[in-house]
Each structure stands twice: as structure tokens, then as C-alpha cells.
Amino acid sequence: AELKEGRGSGLTKKNILYQVASGLDYVHRLKILALNLNHTNIRVVTINGSSKIKLYNFEQSIELKPNQTFLYSCPIYEGFVGIYSFVAPEIWLTQQATQSSDIYSLGSVFFYVYTDGKLMPTIDAPAQELKVVENFKAILDEKKYFEGFLLVELLSKMINFVRYSRASTSVIKNDP
């Protein structure tokens, strides 16, 4: 099933994205970096007649050690298959990843869902990652595809070139 609102499913864009953020928050509490979060590994499943969102495809994920918060050498060029537009710039540029790298990907998923996938910036090489961030910012500045200023502000905190400026999953989940 696609990540779209549906009559009778009880799923709204906001509900879909809340569930995705909750799933990522859970993964992060387990000290796991997803590293490949994008629209193709999020599924709508029916459990007891209720539609739920589930995260799939953790083949690229990495479990951090108990006191570790940072992945110093992400195996990006050793078979990493993330979709370029969804992968945080620091992974391509420095091969380093943190939970905020997944937040960038989560912001890309939010962007994809709210624009119905129509405006997703695409690139064909990691070196063009800055272009993706610029394209995201230009579309966010238009604001016509989003429900209001708060969503644009939240997306700007997620899809940010500077990883230390990104929001956490708890902030995202509690955003109106």
C-alpha cells in the first residue's frame, strides 16, 4: 500500500507521519541507526481491522554500542543502497552518521508524503546532495503545498544541512 490518506482507513497524512516518527523513535531508543529510511520501506498493514504504519528493511541499519552516539565510519560505499534524496548529507560527505542523520531522512519522508511524491528533489550522485537541500528549501519557501507555517518550520528543522540543528524524534512527535 502507498503512504496516502485513505477513506475508511483512519489514516491521515499527520497520522501516518506520527506513526513513522514513533517507529523511528523506538528504533533510536534501541540504539539503532536506520540509515536507509525512505518512502519505499514504510508500509501500511492492517492489524485487527486497523491500519498501522510499519518500518521495514533494516538491512543497512547499524546498532551502536551502549555509550556510542556517533558512527565514525558509515559503510556508505560498501553496498549502501539508500535513495540519494533521502540520505543525510553528512553520510555522503564524511561517511559519518548519528540519529540526526535518520532525522534528515525522516524529514524527506514527511516532505514526500505531504507533496504526494510529486516534488521530491532527485539527484543521480552523492556529490549533488547540497543541491537537494537547496531544492527542499526552495519548495518549503513556497509554502503552498503544506498545511501551514508550523509544518514548514518543522520540515526546515528536519531537512537541514547542519546535523546539529535538526530536531529530535521526541520534538517531532510532539509537534502540533
Side-chain angles (χ1 to χ4, degrees):
E2 292 187 34
L3 294 178
K4 293 187 176 182
E5 295 175 301
R7 272 190 232 159
S9 70
L11 291 177
T12 63
K13 288 179 180 180
K14 186 173 182 174
N15 182 268
I16 290 169
L17 297 175
Y18 177 82
Q19 288 187 51
V20 172
S22 295
L24 184 61
D25 184 51
Y26 176 74
V27 168
H28 283 175
R29 281 187 276 127
L30 296 175
K31 300 287 285 177
I32 295 172
L33 299 180
L35 299 178
N36 190 25
L37 183 63
N38 63 67
H39 66 291
T40 65
N41 54 27
I42 299 168
R43 299 282 186 259
V44 179
V45 297
T46 303
I47 301 172
N48 298 326
S50 179
S51 295
K52 302 285 182 197
I53 302 298
K54 297 289 180 183
L55 303 181
Y56 284 85
N57 188 0
F58 286 91
E59 293 176 17
Q60 304 296 327
S61 66
I62 294 177
E63 186 174 1
L64 298 174
K65 292 176 177 58
N67 293 325
Q68 186 181 8
T69 59
F70 198 80
L71 185 63
Y72 290 96
S73 181
C74 186
I76 196 79
Y77 298 108
E78 299 170 15
F80 186 80
V81 294
I83 298 174
Y84 292 137
S85 299
F86 289 85
V87 177
E90 64 271 10
I91 293 177
W92 296 118
L93 298 172
T94 67
Q95 296 184 17
Q96 297 178 345
T98 65
Q99 290 180 348
S100 72
S101 304
D102 286 343
I103 297 298
Y104 180 94
S105 300
L106 181 62
S108 299
V109 169
F110 275 41
F111 187 93
Y112 181 90
V113 169
Y114 268 98
T115 63
D116 295 320
K118 296 175 186 161
L119 300 173
M120 194 66 192
T122 58
I123 56 174
D124 56 15
Q128 296 176 335
E129 185 61 37
L130 184 56
K131 178 181 165 193
V132 169
V133 175
E134 291 169 355
N135 288 345
F136 276 132
K137 289 178 102 29
I139 294 167
L140 287 173
D141 286 345
E142 287 183 34
K143 296 182 180 71
K144 66 181 178 182
Y145 296 96
F146 304 98
E147 293 177 346
F149 176 74
L150 291 177
L151 178 62
V152 172
E153 186 177 318
L154 178 64
L155 283 168
S156 297
K157 289 179 185 174
M158 296 167 73
I159 305 170
N160 191 309
F161 195 77
V162 180
R163 70 173 173 233
Y164 301 110
S165 299
R166 295 183 197 136
S168 67
T169 50
S170 59
V171 168
I172 295 163
K173 286 179 7 183
N174 292 318
D175 194 89

